Amino acid sequence: MEIIEVTHKPEAKNEVKFSNITEVPSWKPQLINGRWRAVKTGTKKVKGDKAWFATEALKIILNNTQVGDQRDIFYSIRGTAGDRTITIGKEKLPLKDVKVYNLFTTEIMEYVQLVTNHTMQSFGVRPGPRGYVYGQDGTIYSPRKKVRYNLDASPILYFDLAEDDSKISTNLRKVIHFEKSAGLERLTSGNISIMIEALFSTSQGQLSEAANKFLAQREKEGLTIYSVHDADPYGLQMMMLYGLSSKNNAYMPSSYYPKKVMALGLFPSVAHEIGLPPESISERGMVLLNTNLATMVKEKKEFQRDYEIMKKQKEQWEFQAFSGLHEMATQIYLVEALRARNQEIKYVPNNVKDIVLERVNN
C-alpha cells in the first residue's frame, strides 16, 4: 500500500520543470491510523479539456512571481483564453461558468499538486475561501508583506496570513474557530471580549488548507484550539475532521493539521435536550450521514450520540438559532461550554445570564 503525500517546499517553483499534464496518480481516500490518507491505486490519463486546463494552470503558476489564491490563477487563464469552452459531462461550458470554476478548484488544482508532488502553497497559491481572524489583544506579523496587523483591525483579517513564519504576539491563550462568518461577526460585534479571552477565527464554511495551517501554527505557539459548528451533518463532519484532514485533500502533509481541537458545539444532543426548534435534514445531508459520517464516527466515538440523534430524528439545528432565546444567548452558550471544559473565562453579566438560563430551562 502506497500512501501519497505531497510536500511543502517554498522554493519548489524554482525546481519544478514545466511539462504537459497528461497523467496523474490515481488514489482513493481511506481512514488509516485516525486520519484520511490518499492510497495510490495506479495512474490516470488526463485528456482533452482537463489536460489543457491543468497544463495552463501549471504554466501560469510557474511563471507567476506574485503570491495569490486559486481564483487569481483561474482568472489568468480566462484572460488568455476567454472564449474557450470546457466539456463537463455532456455540456460545453464557457470558462466563466461556475461549474468550470468548481472543476478548476477541485480536480484541476489537485492534478497540479499530484503531478508536481508539491502543495499549492509551495507555489505561493492560497486556497479559498481564506476566512477571518479577530481578537482584542495583540498583533499578527506577515513576513511576506512585512506588515504587522492589529488583531482587532476592521475589517477582520484574511487567512492569507496562513503563511510560513507568520507570528502572533498576544496574551490570549485560546483560539475559537467558527464554521460560518455570520456566527463570528455577531459574537465579535457584542462584548464577547470582556467575557472570553480568545482569538476568534472562521473559514467561512470550509475547513480549508489555509484554515488548518493557521490553527496548526497557533497550536504550536501554545494556544488551545476550540471549534464551534452548526448541529447539522456538515457541521458535525467538520467537528470530526480536525486531525483527520478530509477525503478531498487526504494527501496533504500531517504538519498542516492541528493535533487536538476541542469541540464546543453546537451539539445535536444539546440542541435536542433543550428543545431548540429543529429543521429537517435535506436529502443530501442524509446521504452525508450514511456515508462519510458513518465511517468517521468509528474513529471519533465521542460524537456517536450526536450522530445517532441526527440519523434517527432527521433533524438539525443552526448555532445562530440560539439568538431566538436572547441576543446574548450565543455568547452565554460559549461561556458555559468553556466552563464545562474547565477553561477560564472573564466575566458574564448576571442579569443576562439569568434571563437566558431561565428561557433554556423552561
Side-chain angles (χ1 to χ4, degrees), residues 42-82:
T43 57
K44 181 168 67 173
K45 295 290 184 183
V46 184
K47 301 177 181 179
D49 290 337
K50 288 183 179 179
W52 172 84
F53 214 179
T55 299
E56 285 299 302
L58 179 60
K59 184 189 302 181
I60 288 171
I61 286 169
L62 294 180
N63 290 329
N64 193 357
T65 60
Q66 302 296 317
V67 174
D69 61 23
Q70 294 180 65
R71 187 176 290 270
D72 297 326
I73 307 301
F74 178 71
Y75 278 105
S76 294
I77 296 173
R78 280 181 56 178
T80 57

Side-chain angles (χ1 to χ4, degrees), residues 3-46:
I3 295 175
I4 296 175
E5 183 167 275
V6 299
T7 57
H8 177 66
K9 197 173 183 181
E11 61 272 23
K13 189 179 290 190
N14 301 323
E15 300 175 4
V16 173
K17 293 183 179 179
F18 172 76
S19 62
N20 292 328
I21 295 180
T22 58
E23 187 177 272
V24 297
S26 59
W27 58 274
K28 64 178 181 180
Q30 188 173 330
L31 269 178
I32 301 173
N33 296 328
R35 65 160 287 190
W36 289 109
R37 304 310 306 264
V39 178
K40 188 173 181 179
T41 58
T43 57
K44 181 168 67 173
K45 295 290 184 183
V46 184

Side-chain angles (χ1 to χ4, degrees), residues 32 50 100 130 136 236 239 259 305 315 333 346:
I32 301 173
K50 288 183 179 179
V100 177
R130 289 177 256 182
Q136 285 288 345
L236 188 62
M239 290 186 217
K259 304 298 182 186
R305 185 184 173 209
E315 294 176 342
Y333 176 85
K346 290 178 69 176

Side-chain angles (χ1 to χ4, degrees), residues 132-143 147-152 157-159 161-175 198-201 213-223 225:
Y132 304 106
V133 189
Y134 181 85
Q136 285 288 345
D137 180 295
T139 60
I140 296 180
Y141 177 70
S142 165
V147 173
R148 188 172 297 278
Y149 300 90
N150 290 325
L151 287 177
D152 61 354
L157 305 174
Y158 282 100
F159 259 132
L161 299 169
E163 62 183 78
D164 292 326
D165 301 321
S166 64
K167 294 285 188 287
I168 282 188
S169 300
T170 180
N171 291 318
L172 301 172
R173 290 180 283 183
K174 63 175 76 70
V175 177
L199 179 69
F200 299 97
S201 61
K213 191 172 184 186
F214 173 83
L215 295 176
Q217 286 176 328
R218 306 293 75 82
E219 189 175 66
K220 289 174 184 176
E221 293 165 3
L223 278 71
I225 313 296

